[in-house]
Amino acid sequence: MKTKKYLKIGILVAVAAIFVWTFVFLWQKSLPEVTVYNLATPEITDLEKTTVATGKVEPRDEVLIKPQISGIIDELYKEAGQTVKKGEVIAKVKVIPELGTLNSAESRVRLAEINGAQAETDFTRLEALHKDGLISNEEYEKGRVELQQAREELQAARDNRDIVRDGITQSSADISSTLIRSTIEGLILDVPVKVGNSVIMANTMNDGTTIATVADMNDLIFRGNIDETEVGRVHEGMPVKITIGALQDLSFDASLEYIAPKATEENGANQFEIKAALVVPDTVVIRSGYSANAEIVLERAKSTLAIPEGAVEFSGDSTFVYVLTDSIHGQQFERRPVEVGMSDGIRIAVKGGITVQDKIRNGQKEL
C-alpha cells in the first residue's frame, strides 16, 4: 500500500513540474524581444582609398643581341644569369659560305693576282726607261698609279674572299662580325641558342636569330593594368607601393610614369596599361618577370573623424547614423543626419553631425 501511495505522489509531482515548466516557457515567449546593438565610437584617424593593379616587374629595356652574319654557333662564352659588359663577346659564329659566291670571290682573287703581276712587270720596265730618260715623268707617274690600283684591287679581292669564306679578314680581326658582342652592360636573361645551331642575320625579310637577351637590372619597372573605372583618378607622378609575391616581406617604392592612352579588353573589361619606376636597394635581388601588385593611393584624408561605414544609413542623397541617447533603460537611439566624406571601404569620414563623444549604433549584437 505504501508503494502505491508513493507512486501516486511521484506522478503528481511530475505533472506539477511539467505544468510549471510549460507556464514559465509560455510566459518567457510572450515577453517582447530586446535587441542589443554593437556600439562604435568615432575616432580621429587617417584614411586612404587605394586601388591595386596586378602585373609584373621587368627591366625597362631588354636588348636582343643578333648576329651581323649568318652561320653556325661555333662557341658560346656566356650563359644566362651572368653579367656582361658593353662590347664583351658572347658567342662566335662560324660562317658556312655559299659555294657560288665563294667561287666568284676566289675567281676575283685569281684575276687580281694576274693583273697585279702584270702591273708589277710593266712598272719595272717603266722605271728602267725613266732612269734612262726615255719616257716622260707623266708616263712614269701614270704607271705607278696603275700599279697601286692593281695592288688595292688584289687586297680587296682577298678581303672579300676571306669574308665570304671565314666572315673575317686579317686586317679587321678585332671588329669581326663573327664575334657576337653585347651592345649594353647588364645581365644576360636568356641565351636561346646552343653550339651548332644555325643563325641568320637580320634583313628585310627576317628579324634575325636572337643570340642572347641582355637587360640592365638596375633600371626596373612595374608593368600592369588598371580598370577604366579608376584610371581617371590616377596621374603620372603618383607614388606607388609595389609588393612582390616571391618577396612577401618586402615592399618597394615606385613612381607612376606612364598610363596608356588606349584601353585593351580583358575578360570583358577595359584595362589600361600602367608603368611605374621602382626604387630597389642594392641588397635585394629581383628577377625579371616576378609577379607583383601595385597599390596606388587614389584619395587621402588626414586627421579626420571616422566611423565604420556599416554604421551609416544611406537614404537617397542623405546619410544618417543612430546615436545612443540612453543605455540605462535599454538602448535608446536618435536618428541623426550626418555629412560624410571619403571611404576606404571599411571606415568613412564624417564631416559633421557627430563628435568623438557620441556612441554610434553599429549593427546588431549576436547573443
Side-chain angles (χ1 to χ4, degrees), residues 108-132:
R108 178 183 171 186
V109 171
R110 290 193 293 269
L111 182 59
E113 288 175 343
I114 293 172
N115 292 335
Q118 184 62 49
E120 294 284 353
T121 301
D122 291 344
F123 183 72
T124 300
R125 186 181 302 113
L126 288 175
E127 193 173 30
L129 293 174
H130 182 261
K131 286 182 179 180
D132 294 339

Side-chain angles (χ1 to χ4, degrees), residues 147-268:
L147 175 62
Q148 291 175 344
Q149 290 176 341
R151 288 173 177 173
E152 286 296 325
E153 171 58 25
L154 177 58
Q155 184 61 48
R158 287 173 174 169
D159 288 345
N160 180 67
R161 178 199 59 193
D162 292 344
I163 291 174
V164 171
R165 184 185 62 194
D166 305 320
I168 184 175
T169 64
Q170 293 182 354
S171 60
S172 61
D174 293 338
I175 57 173
S176 169
S177 57
T178 61
L179 299 178
I180 312 303
R181 302 175 185 271
S182 177
T183 56
I184 65 169
E185 180 176 349
L187 181 72
I188 299 178
L189 301 180
D190 186 28
V191 179
V193 295
K194 298 180 180 180
V195 173
N197 286 165
S198 297
V199 296
I200 57 175
M201 62 182 293
N203 53 51
T204 56
M205 302 296 294
N206 197 293
D207 292 336
T209 305
T210 298
I211 302 296
T213 303
V214 182
D216 180 4
M217 297 302 291
N218 294 318
D219 188 9
L220 299 175
I221 63 169
F222 167 85
R223 187 194 300 270
N225 293 305
I226 188 171
D227 191 80
E228 65 175 336
T229 58
E230 297 175 329
V231 70
R233 307 175 68 179
V234 300
H235 57 82
E236 286 85 353
M238 292 182 72
V240 180
K241 187 70 70 176
I242 305 295
T243 55
I244 298 175
L247 306 172
Q248 298 181 358
D249 297 331
L250 299 177
S251 62
F252 306 92
D253 293 325
S255 176
L256 190 62
E257 63 179 24
Y258 172 80
I259 304 171
K262 182 179 179 180
T264 57
E265 186 174 341
E266 293 186 11
N267 299 322

Side-chain angles (χ1 to χ4, degrees), residues 347-365:
R347 296 171 298 175
I348 190 169
V350 180
K351 299 180 179 179
I354 59 174
T355 68
V356 292
Q357 284 77 33
D358 291 322
K359 300 294 184 181
I360 308 301
R361 191 176 81 181
N362 184 31
Q364 185 174 339
K365 181 179 291 186

